[in-house]
Amino acid sequence: MSDKKGLFKNIRVIIFTLILLGSIVAIHPGYTPGEGITTNLNFGLDLEGGSWLQIKLEGALTQVDADAGELVSEMVEPVIGAPIEVTSDNLNMGGSDSAGKSITFTTSAPVSAPQIESLELGTVSVDKLSDAQTQVTISDTSKETMIKAYLSKSLDAEVVLFSTEDGTVYEIRTAVSEQELEALMEKAGGSIVKDEDGTSTYKEGVSSETRDLTRDILNDKLNSLGLKDIPVRTVGEDYILIDFAGIDLATAKEIAEKPGKFEIRIQTTGNETQHVLYGDSIVGVGIPSYHEGQWHTPFTLNEEGARTLQKVALETGAIDNPEEHYLNMYLDDVQIYGAPLSPEAADRLRETPIYSWEASTGTDEAAKAEAEALQIHLRAGALPVNVVLVGSGHVDAGLGAQFKTAAVITGLISLIAVAAVVYFRYKRPEILVPMVGTSISEVIMILGVASLIGWQLDLASIAGIIASIGTGIDHLVIITDEVLYEGKLPPTKVFASRLGKAFTIILGAASTVIIAMSPLVVMGFGSLKGFAITTIIGVLIGVIIARPVYGIVIKELLHVDESGNGIITE
């Protein structure tokens, strides 16, 4: 007769027990008066109720062309306040490579290199030909660089270049109509490029890279607010859908509208400001800290951002007179912070760029709250494009609770139905109890993993758990049928062989399920992704942890006579 105590000395059983207990701790079931049963599980919009928002990304993708000379005239003449005459131009040769390309112009107005450098057209050299004439050469540039600078300054927006097989595509990260863009290019002697069939290359929207970047920043932003897990997913090319489980529509809109386009500008004269950098120049944000009698939010700039800030600070005089040239931070054109350069920073900027910065907010609790809010804005507020709310909705919490109850009842009915089928098949409690117990333990482990990783359970995820129960029972039946022969267990050596054969079949079936579900995980078709993930997690937990233990348990409950005669009861 087998020693039941030996069952609990088996390393697989010990691991199984520890993981099961750990899952229960992770789920942390409890009861709160007025709220009922509580857990650490996150439930989705369809199970908990809440709100959803759909936002559209504003922008345009296009191919444009212009005359280099007219581009320079359009940008330079307003800066120097006088007309120019282009005397040399090799930018119209084509290609975006700036090596060896330059454009030269003369003017009767006095010109300084910093004036032209502020246009970000290339390397600038200024030569005084006579008292009445100055020659300016812009080298290491290209027509594409000039078009980008022209569009950026004319529309006060970020412009990004993409090289494609059909040519250079300009992504304009703000709302601009085809008519507005055509009129803007006509001023520079250019137009929107058309395809071979005469179709305009203008397209409203943004690139997939920009869309995904915006989604990631929103996801980081929203989930850093200490709320429940908020799924942020893309819908088509230009839309993002956000679910706010357990949050009313008004609060959801307030939360979603907080992220925006982050920008740092410097005060020039009076209330006028000049652009310095966008949020994509910020490469790191630290935790707010209290030192030197104030709260500070640290952040780090990349190479381009640090050098740009130094350059603008020198040009505007912020180094010599910081109090007259505040550095202001904006979120969707609304100022969220402003302060002058510290004396130490001003002195250091005379010699070298500064990469690590700290924004001080004050000394009291309000200053602490401001520092924490600024951390979020710096960390994830810098959306590359502006967004506009195009749709919203609300799911009643009562309806969500009904869905949750229905999902639990459905799972229990499924488990009871499976248990009934198993009992009528074997008519032996010593097989039924371990089989049902194994299925229940797998569900607990799946929920434990979901709790640990913060996975948000929705109806599709519950369906995945139910599918895992069905798959698990199939595998347990395979194990039972394979190791039993005429209602008896074989000797130990034969038992091990048959159990190995059963697991060969199970591993093959599990691999098929995982392979079939993997495309849904990678392609991320909304709620189907949750179904696929929970199904895969359930299969892996069953195959690696639970089902081997089931084989050990039935071997102990249905004893083996080593002489070769299987016995089925004590």
Side-chain angles (χ1 to χ4, degrees):
M1 186 176 296
S2 295
D3 182 9
K4 297 293 189 303
K5 293 182 180 179
L7 181 65
F8 299 100
K9 295 180 181 179
N10 187 287
I11 186 65
R12 284 187 177 274
V13 176
I14 293 173
I15 293 173
F16 171 87
T17 304
L18 291 175
I19 293 176
L20 183 60
L21 292 174
S23 298
I24 294 173
V25 172
I27 297 171
H28 194 62
Y31 179 81
T32 302
E35 295 184 15
I37 298 175
T38 59
T39 67
N40 281 342
L41 296 172
N42 290 320
F43 293 101
L45 190 63
D46 45 7
L47 292 178
E48 191 166 331
S51 309
W52 60 269
L53 301 176
Q54 186 174 14
I55 58 177
K56 181 181 180 181
L57 281 59
E58 294 184 324
L61 296 166
T62 186
Q63 290 179 274
V64 294
D65 196 12
D67 180 80
E70 293 194 42
L71 277 170
V72 173
S73 298
E74 282 292 322
M75 286 186 286
V76 172
E77 288 180 355
V79 173
I80 64 175
I84 67 170
E85 180 182 354
V86 176
T87 58
S88 174
D89 171 18
N90 63 359
L91 300 184
N92 291 307
M93 297 186 304
S96 58
D97 186 8
S98 61
K101 293 185 178 180
S102 64
I103 186 168
T104 302
F105 64 86
T106 58
T107 180
S108 59
V111 179
S112 65
Q115 278 182 295
I116 310 303
E117 287 173 351
S118 66
L119 298 173
E120 300 179 355
L121 300 177
T123 304
V124 179
S125 62
V126 178
D127 297 309
K128 190 75 171 177
L129 300 181
S130 66
D131 292 339
Q133 195 172 44
T134 302
Q135 177 177 283
V136 179
T137 300
I138 303 174
S139 57
D140 298 326
T141 187
S142 65
K143 189 196 295 187
E144 288 73 16
T145 299
M146 292 196 168
I147 292 175
K148 174 185 175 181
Y150 173 66
L151 292 174
S152 178
K153 293 187 180 300
S154 299
L155 298 171
D156 192 22
E158 187 178 8
V159 178
V160 179
L161 272 63
F162 293 98
S163 296
T164 67
E165 294 180 355
D166 298 326
T168 301
V169 175
Y170 298 83
E171 181 183 55
I172 304 169
R173 293 179 168 179
T174 192
V176 56
S177 68
E178 184 174 3
Q179 292 74 21
E180 291 172 334
L181 184 60
E182 185 69 48
L184 189 63
M185 295 310 300
E186 285 179 359
K187 291 172 63 179
S191 63
I192 298 174
V193 175
K194 298 186 182 299
D195 292 332
E196 293 180 358
D197 59 359
T199 304
S200 172
T201 57
Y202 172 90
K203 176 186 175 185
E204 184 179 351
V206 297
S207 65
S208 58
E209 293 83 358
T210 300
R211 178 203 63 192
D212 293 342
L213 175 61
T214 306
R215 176 202 61 199
D216 293 342
I217 292 174
L218 273 171
N219 185 69
D220 186 45
K221 161 78 175 183
L222 296 174
N223 288 296
S224 68
L225 295 172
L227 303 170
K228 294 182 178 181
D229 177 50
I230 300 177
V232 180
R233 57 183 182 270
T234 57
V235 180
E237 294 183 356
D238 305 320
Y239 296 91
I240 292 177
L241 185 64
I242 310 172
D243 289 343
F244 294 86
I247 299 175
D248 63 85
L249 187 57
T251 305
K253 288 181 178 180
E254 181 183 352
I255 293 171
E257 287 170 358
K258 285 182 181 177
K261 191 170 183 179
F262 185 87
E263 181 183 16
I264 295 180
R265 302 180 70 89
I266 194 167
Q267 189 177 354
T268 53
T269 303
N271 293 325
E272 294 185 1
T273 60
Q274 177 181 330
H275 168 75
V276 180
L277 53 86
Y278 289 108
D280 56 1
S281 294
I282 299 172
V283 294
V285 181
I287 299 173
S289 60
Y290 186 84
H291 59 88
E292 298 178 355
Q294 291 196 80
W295 283 98
H296 298 80
T297 300
F299 62 97
T300 305
L301 301 178
N302 60 16
E303 178 79 22
E304 181 181 359
R307 293 192 176 279
T308 300
L309 197 155
Q310 181 197 27
K311 174 174 169 285
V312 175
L314 287 167
E315 292 173 354
T316 58
I319 290 177
D320 299 315
N321 190 2
E323 292 296 330
E324 296 295 325
H325 302 280
Y326 270 43
L327 279 175
N328 298 324
M329 297 181 184
Y330 295 85
L331 198 58
D332 282 341
D333 299 325
V334 176
Q335 184 175 336
I336 58 172
Y337 178 82
L341 292 170
S342 68
E344 296 80 5
D347 289 338
R348 188 176 169 192
L349 281 175
R350 295 180 189 278
E351 305 297 333
T352 182
I354 299 177
Y355 299 90
S356 297
W357 290 84
E358 286 188 337
S360 59
T361 57
T363 60
D364 55 12
E365 286 299 314
K368 178 182 178 182
E370 184 181 356
E372 291 172 344
L374 186 58
Q375 177 202 15
I376 295 175
H377 293 315
L378 287 167
R379 182 171 179 239
L383 295 183
V385 293
N386 289 326
V387 298
V388 59
L389 180 65
V390 294
S392 62
H394 179 72
V395 177
D396 184 70
L399 185 60
Q402 292 178 20
F403 286 159
K404 193 187 303 183
T405 302
V408 172
I409 292 173
T410 301
L412 290 175
I413 292 174
S414 300
L415 190 60
I416 293 171
V418 168
V421 171
V422 171
Y423 180 78
F424 283 113
R425 176 179 175 83
Y426 297 106
K427 294 184 174 62
R428 293 164 66 178
E430 61 268 31
I431 291 178
L432 174 63
V433 173
M435 191 174 288
V436 174
T438 301
S439 294
I440 293 174
S441 68
E442 288 181 17
V443 173
I444 293 173
M445 291 179 190
I446 293 172
L447 295 178
V449 171
S451 180
L452 287 173
I453 65 176
W455 181 254
Q456 194 174 82
L457 298 172
D458 53 16
L459 284 176
S461 300
I462 301 299
I465 294 175
I466 294 173
S468 298
I469 293 175
T471 302
I473 291 294
D474 287 344
H475 292 176
L476 298 179
V477 168
I478 292 172
I479 293 174
T480 305
D481 285 351
E482 191 65 36
V483 301
L484 286 179
Y485 178 71
E486 295 181 351
K488 299 179 181 180
L489 287 176
T492 300
K493 291 183 179 179
V494 179
F495 176 88
S497 174
R498 289 185 176 179
L499 188 62
K501 182 179 179 182
F503 269 93
T504 300
I505 299 171
I506 290 171
L507 288 173
S511 299
T512 301
V513 172
I514 293 173
I515 292 172
M517 292 293 173
S518 295
L520 295 180
V521 177
V522 176
M523 299 175 73
F525 290 136
S527 60
L528 291 180
K529 184 176 181 179
F531 172 78
I533 289 177
T534 48
T535 303
I536 291 173
I537 290 175
V539 170
L540 291 175
I541 287 175
V543 172
I544 297 173
I545 300 171
R547 286 152 211 175
V549 171
Y550 172 77
I552 297 170
V553 170
I554 62 169
K555 180 177 181 295
E556 293 296 333
L557 293 180
L558 304 175
H559 310 299
V560 176
D561 180 359
E562 297 299 339
S563 65
N565 298 316
I567 56 178
I568 61 175
T569 59
E570 293 186 354

